[in-house]
Amino acid sequence: MGTTQLETVPEPKYWHLKTVLSDALDSEFAVGEILPNERDLAARFGVARATLRQALEQLELEGRLQRRRGVGTTVAPPRVGVAVDPVRHTWPGAAGDDWQPVDAVESDAVPAAVAGLLATAPGDPVHVVRRSRVTHGRPVATELLYVPAAAVPGWAPAASLSAPARARAVLHELQTLELDGQDRTVELGSARAEDARELDRLPGAPVLVVTTRYVSGGRTAAVAVSTYRADTCRLTFGESDAVALLAG
Amino acid sequence: MGTTQLETVPEPKYWHLKTVLSDALDSEFAVGEILPNERDLAARFGVARATLRQALEQLELEGRLQRRRGVGTTVAPPRVGVAVDPVRHTWPGAAGDDWQPVDAVESDAVPAAVAGLLATAPGDPVHVVRRSRVTHGRPVATELLYVPAAAVPGWAPAASLSAPARARAVLHELQTLELDGQDRTVELGSARAEDARELDRLPGAPVLVVTTRYVSGGRTAAVAVSTYRADTCRLTFGESDAVALLAG
DNA sequence: CAGTGGTCTAGACCACGAA
DNA sequence: TCGTGGTCTAGACCACTGA
């Protein structure tokens, strides 16, 4: 990697630095390779460490770098494609989805945005199922699945079950319903402390939040809020899931 | 908004600050209202301006705030839902999509990632159509649509056409083909300088990049790379586009 | 012009991981 | 224990907006 001097252009230093580093990553580094530490890099480019970090942050956001405290900065592999809807038009937990049930609790206080989608009143009991998703041995997403108790009337999980079994029981109960349709939104968010722990990231890390609404009998029978690591994931949709993408 | 003192917890100051500000936005500010300037806010919370900015950046990323140089920081309206596929299984430019053609050029150098999807060799001519998308009077997305000249053989736009007309001509030519299917990926990116100008943001602003591959006759006939403002947009998919979402 | 957010500096200390 | 990235400070100057 060169030590090109930065000219006095109106372009911000960190922006220029980012493109220089990006080119160097393409041409002079292999995936997994460790970069020099931030203090050395900053000195080499003649900028303050904070300025260098601004460039590194951008590259990490774009999935080009991976930084770990106490370890260093490494060149990230290309983003993994993650199918958001591997089995079309099925309930969560149907055969073929690769989510792992974690646990399930009954709650009467769900986030306002979710309550709006579920059309539940404050205080209405809701089953909350936690699931996580692992691809290539790495955690890529966590999910909270909200099922109003009213959607599965006359049913309650046996208290004796283990946490994952309780989650599976709720999912199993969903399969008995008719699924009329579903819709979905994707937006940018930042990882809550809990998600961050699960995803092996720092709190506030950028995530892609996928909100899926499942409709049954004209009502919203479930809402899933899935949180994907934005740095390492590329969400895939569509008929053929085998999308062969080259790196950017 | 209070001036709650920050305790000496292991939680980072900017993180705590973010939650305090977030609560204040919910309870004490109306959409469009102007916040105190950064120097005042920092003083009020007893932190350095850089630390305050770290909190504001997070809130802007989440679409809660909007900052404009020379103007100030305002409370952002809820994200607008933008239908990614308003008319299912049609070519871009079909009746009903709300993209505006901007211009079209012929290029023989497309990004490597796009060339990989198109399965074109370096140097193969490709029509590149620029489009932009406006919702509620605000620009929300820009798009580059790549159509290999080989996909519309024996056709070339008349040189006399205006830029938008040339774009429309390419799109019109696509409609004559049979559309076998399409697939799509969504990932996080940062705005290139050109996108940023178009989207009224600074370079490097977070964007959602939607890559759509259109298949015709067993080959990839077109690839669209659409760049949506991540701060103001929520992408919507699915059967019913009328998803009524409450704010987070 | 004054006031805003955007960039940049040169330090300091902390939390974490690995040896 | 040492080296890493993460947090934080107190300043400075710049670029842009609007009156």
Side-chain angles (χ1 to χ4, degrees):
Chain A
M1 155 172 37
T3 56
T4 318
Q5 279 313 301
L6 304 168
E7 310 94 36
T8 60
V9 287
E11 187 178 55
K13 278 190 190 177
Y14 78 89
W15 183 259
H16 184 232
L17 202 45
K18 180 198 139 185
T19 66
V20 171
L21 286 169
S22 180
D23 292 346
L25 290 180
D26 287 334
S27 59
E28 304 174 36
F29 285 87
V31 167
E33 200 168 339
I34 303 180
L35 265 63
N37 73 50
E38 297 183 348
R39 292 162 180 86
D40 285 355
L41 275 179
R44 188 180 312 200
F45 287 102
V47 299
R49 191 175 154 222
T51 303
L52 174 83
R53 280 179 59 81
Q54 217 173 334
L56 294 182
E57 258 147 46
Q58 285 258 348
L59 290 168
E60 191 178 27
L61 194 85
E62 295 174 22
R64 308 287 311 274
L65 292 179
Q66 189 159 352
R67 297 192 287 174
R68 274 174 305 173
R69 167 151 49 178
V71 179
T73 301
T74 55
V75 180
R79 283 186 175 142
V80 298
V82 183
V84 170
D85 198 0
V87 188
R88 311 271 287 175
H89 303 301
T90 57
W91 291 104
D97 85 9
D98 48 2
W99 288 89
Q100 312 273 338
V102 175
D103 64 21
V105 298
E106 194 171 309
S107 165
D108 55 2
V110 302
V114 173
L117 285 172
L118 290 173
T120 54
D124 286 355
V126 174
H127 301 291
V128 183
V129 179
R130 280 209 303 147
R131 302 196 297 167
S132 70
R133 191 167 175 179
V134 174
T135 308
H136 303 38
R138 305 275 175 209
V140 293
T142 68
E143 182 181 86
L144 291 175
L145 176 71
Y146 300 91
V147 182
V152 287
W155 175 85
S160 61
L161 294 175
S162 71
R166 208 155 46 230
R168 275 192 295 271
V170 178
L171 295 171
H172 184 261
E173 206 61 21
L174 274 183
Q175 317 295 322
T176 66
L177 302 179
E178 190 76 21
L179 179 60
D180 296 338
Q182 62 188 56
D183 48 41
R184 199 168 257 137
T185 71
V186 178
E187 61 188 313
L188 179 61
S190 49
R192 299 170 304 135
E194 187 185 348
D195 300 327
R197 214 177 319 111
E198 200 97 25
L199 297 175
D200 192 27
R201 300 258 58 202
L202 293 173
V207 291
L208 295 170
V209 180
V210 179
T211 305
T212 310
R213 193 166 63 100
Y214 298 90
V215 179
S216 175
R219 297 209 334 251
T220 302
V223 166
V225 180
S226 314
T227 300
Y228 292 81
R229 281 183 62 150
D231 55 343
T232 57
C233 292
R234 189 182 59 241
L235 307 183
T236 71
F237 296 83
E239 293 111 25
S240 74
D241 291 324
V243 185
L245 258 184
L246 297 186
Chain B
M1 161 172 31
T3 56
T4 318
Q5 280 311 303
L6 306 168
E7 311 93 35
T8 61
V9 286
E11 186 179 55
K13 279 190 189 177
Y14 77 88
W15 184 258
H16 184 232
L17 202 46
K18 180 198 138 184
T19 67
V20 171
L21 286 169
S22 181
D23 292 346
L25 290 180
D26 287 334
S27 59
E28 303 175 35
F29 285 88
V31 167
E33 200 168 338
I34 303 179
L35 265 62
N37 72 52
E38 297 184 350
R39 290 162 180 85
D40 285 354
L41 275 180
R44 190 181 312 200
F45 287 103
V47 300
R49 191 176 155 219
T51 303
L52 174 84
R53 280 179 59 81
Q54 217 173 333
L56 294 182
E57 258 148 46
Q58 285 257 349
L59 291 169
E60 192 178 26
L61 195 84
E62 295 173 23
R64 308 287 311 275
L65 292 179
Q66 189 160 352
R67 297 192 286 173
R68 274 176 306 173
R69 167 152 49 178
V71 178
T73 301
T74 55
V75 180
R79 283 184 174 143
V80 297
V82 184
V84 170
D85 197 0
V87 187
R88 311 273 287 176
H89 303 300
T90 58
W91 291 104
D97 85 8
D98 48 2
W99 289 89
Q100 311 275 338
V102 175
D103 63 22
V105 299
E106 195 171 308
S107 166
D108 54 3
V110 302
V114 173
L117 284 174
L118 290 173
T120 54
D124 285 356
V126 174
H127 301 292
V128 183
V129 179
R130 282 209 302 147
R131 303 197 297 168
S132 70
R133 190 168 175 176
V134 175
T135 307
H136 302 32
R138 303 276 175 210
V140 292
T142 69
E143 182 181 84
L144 291 175
L145 175 70
Y146 300 90
V147 182
V152 287
W155 176 85
S160 61
L161 294 176
S162 71
R166 209 156 45 230
R168 274 192 295 271
V170 178
L171 294 171
H172 184 262
E173 206 62 20
L174 275 182
Q175 317 296 321
T176 67
L177 302 179
E178 190 75 21
L179 178 60
D180 296 339
Q182 63 187 54
D183 48 40
R184 198 168 258 137
T185 71
V186 177
E187 61 189 313
L188 180 60
S190 50
R192 299 171 305 135
E194 187 185 346
D195 300 327
R197 214 178 317 111
E198 200 95 26
L199 296 175
D200 192 25
R201 300 259 60 203
L202 292 174
V207 291
L208 296 170
V209 180
V210 180
T211 306
T212 310
R213 193 165 63 100
Y214 297 90
V215 180
S216 176
R219 298 209 334 252
T220 301
V223 166
V225 179
S226 314
T227 300
Y228 291 82
R229 282 183 62 150
D231 55 343
T232 56
C233 293
R234 189 183 59 240
L235 307 184
T236 71
F237 296 83
E239 293 111 25
S240 74
D241 290 324
V243 185
L245 258 184
L246 296 186

